[in-house]
Amino acid sequence: MQETHTGKMIEQIGYVYASDISPRVKYKLARKNMYFSNNPSVVMISYMFVAETELMNIITLIEGTRYKLDSKKIQSLLIV
């Protein structure tokens, strides 16, 4: 898997849990498509993915603060 394109991309993305891989890859590709796609529908869907991910980050921040998690732990859970 490390020799494939997908495996190399996953290696570059830092993740804490295996369930974080999919949203992080989706976020990275959406950001790329927002800037480089000529198709308006692709840009709109990419914008929706980025907005959804940012909302998930806000929820993570609120929950981390509420449950008094360490700031390093909260930062590792954010999708950037």
Side-chain angles (χ1 to χ4, degrees), residues 2-3 6 15 17 20 28 31 34 38-39 46 48 56 58-60 63 66 70 80:
Q2 291 177 349
E3 302 300 322
T6 307
Y15 61 93
Y17 302 107
D20 289 346
K28 184 177 179 180
R31 296 267 313 196
M34 273 178 44
N38 292 328
N39 191 344
S46 297
M48 298 288 284
M56 286 174 30
I58 291 171
I59 292 169
T60 302
E63 288 179 347
R66 179 179 181 189
D70 185 34
V80 193

Side-chain angles (χ1 to χ4, degrees), residues 5-66:
H5 174 70
T6 307
K8 291 177 184 176
M9 185 170 27
I10 290 172
E11 250 182 46
Q12 291 176 352
I13 297 172
Y15 61 93
V16 179
Y17 302 107
S19 62
D20 289 346
I21 295 172
S22 178
R24 289 176 190 266
V25 170
K26 188 167 74 169
Y27 178 76
K28 184 177 179 180
L29 291 175
R31 296 267 313 196
K32 179 182 173 187
N33 285 335
M34 273 178 44
Y35 290 108
F36 297 115
S37 179
N38 292 328
N39 191 344
S41 60
V42 171
V43 174
M44 182 62 185
I45 293 296
S46 297
Y47 176 77
M48 298 288 284
F49 285 150
V50 169
E52 179 183 321
T53 303
E54 289 177 354
L55 184 60
M56 286 174 30
N57 282 342
I58 291 171
I59 292 169
T60 302
L61 283 170
I62 292 170
E63 288 179 347
T65 305
R66 179 179 181 189

Side-chain angles (χ1 to χ4, degrees), residues 16 24 57 60-61 69-80:
V16 179
R24 289 176 190 266
N57 282 342
T60 302
L61 283 170
L69 290 178
D70 185 34
S71 62
K72 298 272 186 192
K73 180 68 173 174
I74 295 172
Q75 191 173 18
S76 71
L77 293 172
L78 296 177
I79 298 173
V80 193

